[in-house]
Amino acid sequence: MKIAFVGKGGSGKTTLSSLFVRHLAVHRAPVVAVDADINQHLGAALGLSEEEAAALPAMGAHLPLIKNYLRGTNPRITSADSMIKTTPPGQGSRLLRLCEDNPVYEACARPVRLDGGDIRLMATGPFTESDLGVACYHSKVGAVELCLNHLVDGPGEYLVVDMTAGSDSFASGMFTRFDLTFLVAEPTRKGVSVYRQYKEYARDFGVALKVVGNKVQGQDDIEFLRAEVGDDLLVTIGHSDWVRAMEKGRPVPFERLEVVNRQALESLREAADASYARRDWERYTRQMVHFHLRNAESWGNARAGADLAAQVDPDFVLDERFASAQPA
C-alpha cells in the first residue's frame, strides 16, 4: 500500500514518517521509504549520518534508467525520451513491485538497518547549485511520480513517502497515488491551515485523508484539533523523550518509544491497511490517465513534439493481478 505524510514545514511530518517506517520494520513488514521533500531529512531521521544521507543516490539523476526500464516493450511508447512524469503503464510496460530486486532499486535505493530489519530508502535528491534559478523542485519529484504510476503493491507491503511541505504536493497528480495520506498538524491556526487547503483540493479526487495531531500538550490541544478537523483527526502525538534523544544523535532501541506513541503508530498502520482494502483500481488508473492527458496538453506534447495521449492504453487497468507476476 502507498502512504504519504504531508504537512506544513516544521509540523514534524518527517519525524512522524520515520517513526511509522520504524514501526513497520519492527513488525517485519516490507517497506520502501521515499524522501520526496525539498529538504532531505528522512535519511537522518532514520539514523543515517550526514555523510550517509548525502551519499544517497538522487532518483532524478537516474531518470533515463528509470524510463528505459519501465518502458519495457510497450508499443505505445516510441522511446524513453518521450516519457514524461505522468506516463501511465500499458501492455508491455514493466511494473515495480515492493519486494523484488530490479535495476531501479539497484540504482536508486539503499538498505537502512532498523530495529527489526532492513528497509529500502530512496530520495529525490536535494536542490543543487546548478538548479538555482533554472529548475523547480517538481522536476525532481517527477521520478517518484513515474515510479508510483508503475508500482503494483499488495497487502502488507508499504511504500511510505515523506512529501514536500505545504500544499506544493498539488503541483502534480502525485497526491492521488496514495491509499492514505496522513496530514501532520500542530494544534494552532497555522497548523490546521494546510489541512483546510489539502481537504479542499483533494475533495474532488476521493483522496483518503487523516490528520495526525503532533506536538500536543494536553486535552485543550486535542479539543482544538477536533473542533478544526472533526472526524479526520485519527491520533495525536505528544512529547517524546525517544524522539528528543534521536534528534540529539543519541539513539536508543525503538522498543523504548513511549507506549502511547507506539499505540498511535499502530493506529496509523490499521488505518492504512483498511484504506488499501478499499482501493478502487479502476479509479486509480483513470486518475493516472487524467493527469497524464492534462500534462500532455499543458506542456508534454510541445516538449516531446508528439501527441502523448497516444501513450494511453485504453484497455489497461493496473490491479492486483500484477502484484505476484515476475518482471520481464
Side-chain angles (χ1 to χ4, degrees), residues 12-322:
K13 67 179 181 61
T14 297
T15 298
L16 264 294
S17 58
S18 70
L19 288 176
F20 187 59
V21 167
R22 289 176 182 273
H23 180 74
L24 296 173
V26 164
H27 286 82
R28 304 295 195 271
V31 181
V32 174
V34 181
D35 192 344
D37 194 356
I38 189 171
N39 299 306
Q40 302 268 281
H41 296 314
L42 184 57
L46 290 171
L48 298 186
S49 68
E50 290 185 10
E51 293 76 15
E52 291 170 330
L56 290 171
M59 294 179 69
H62 294 281
L63 193 54
L65 179 151
I66 294 171
K67 289 180 176 181
N68 273 306
Y69 180 75
L70 298 180
R71 176 191 174 204
T73 60
N74 187 336
R76 295 177 176 274
I77 303 175
T78 56
S79 70
D81 288 340
S82 71
M83 296 178 73
I84 61 176
K85 65 180 183 177
T86 53
T87 295
Q91 189 65 37
S93 296
R94 289 195 183 98
L95 302 176
L96 300 175
R97 296 163 186 85
L98 286 173
C99 296
E100 70 181 6
D101 294 320
N102 58 54
V104 175
Y105 291 155
E106 183 178 349
C108 302
R110 294 295 179 265
V112 177
R113 175 61 56 87
L114 300 175
D115 295 357
D118 289 356
I119 61 102
R120 280 172 165 153
L121 175 61
M122 305 170 74
T124 58
F127 243 35
T128 64
E129 186 174 342
S130 62
D131 295 322
L132 297 177
V134 297
C136 73
Y137 192 67
H138 307 298
S139 64
K140 293 183 175 293
V141 299
V144 180
E145 186 168 1
L146 191 59
C147 287
L148 285 172
N149 280 354
H150 289 75
L151 178 67
V152 57
D153 50 315
E157 305 170 345
Y158 299 85
L159 179 86
V160 180
V161 182
D162 181 19
M163 296 281 280
T164 190
S167 57
D168 285 352
S169 304
F170 289 96
S172 73
M174 198 161 71
F175 73 96
T176 66
R177 302 297 84 202
F178 302 101
D179 296 294
L180 188 56
T181 296
F182 292 123
L183 190 145
V184 181
E186 300 170 78
T188 64
R189 287 187 297 174
K190 287 185 178 180
V192 299
S193 62
V194 172
Y195 161 79
R196 294 196 187 96
Q197 286 181 307
Y198 221 103
K199 186 76 171 178
E200 180 66 25
Y201 294 156
R203 181 174 290 115
D204 293 338
F205 295 94
V207 172
L209 180 68
K210 288 295 181 182
V211 173
V212 180
N214 194 30
K215 304 179 185 179
V216 170
Q217 297 183 7
Q219 188 61 34
D220 183 66
D221 285 346
I222 296 174
E223 291 175 358
F224 172 83
L225 286 169
R226 182 71 68 189
E228 294 292 331
V229 309
D231 292 339
D232 284 340
L233 182 63
L234 180 63
V235 295
T236 60
I237 305 289
H239 172 79
S240 171
D241 289 335
W242 191 96
V243 169
R244 182 59 59 88
M246 185 69 189
E247 291 175 340
K248 291 179 178 178
R250 303 169 185 170
V252 294
F254 190 66
E255 64 184 15
R256 290 170 59 182
L257 179 71
E258 299 82 5
V259 172
V260 65
N261 289 332
R262 281 190 275 124
Q263 291 172 339
L265 294 173
E266 180 59 18
S267 294
L268 299 190
R269 184 169 76 136
E270 291 171 355
D273 290 348
S275 190
Y276 175 85
R278 296 189 295 269
R279 182 190 291 180
D280 183 338
W281 290 91
E282 290 189 2
R283 185 182 72 177
Y284 186 83
T285 305
R286 189 166 61 249
Q287 288 178 336
M288 190 189 311
V289 170
H290 168 78
F291 282 105
H292 178 63
L293 294 177
R294 288 184 60 178
N295 278 267
E297 182 179 357
S298 175
W299 59 271
N301 292 342
R303 197 195 74 174
D307 182 6
L308 298 186
Q311 293 180 340
V312 176
D313 185 341
D315 299 321
F316 184 86
V317 175
L318 187 70
D319 62 35
E320 65 269 19
R321 293 174 300 164
F322 296 103

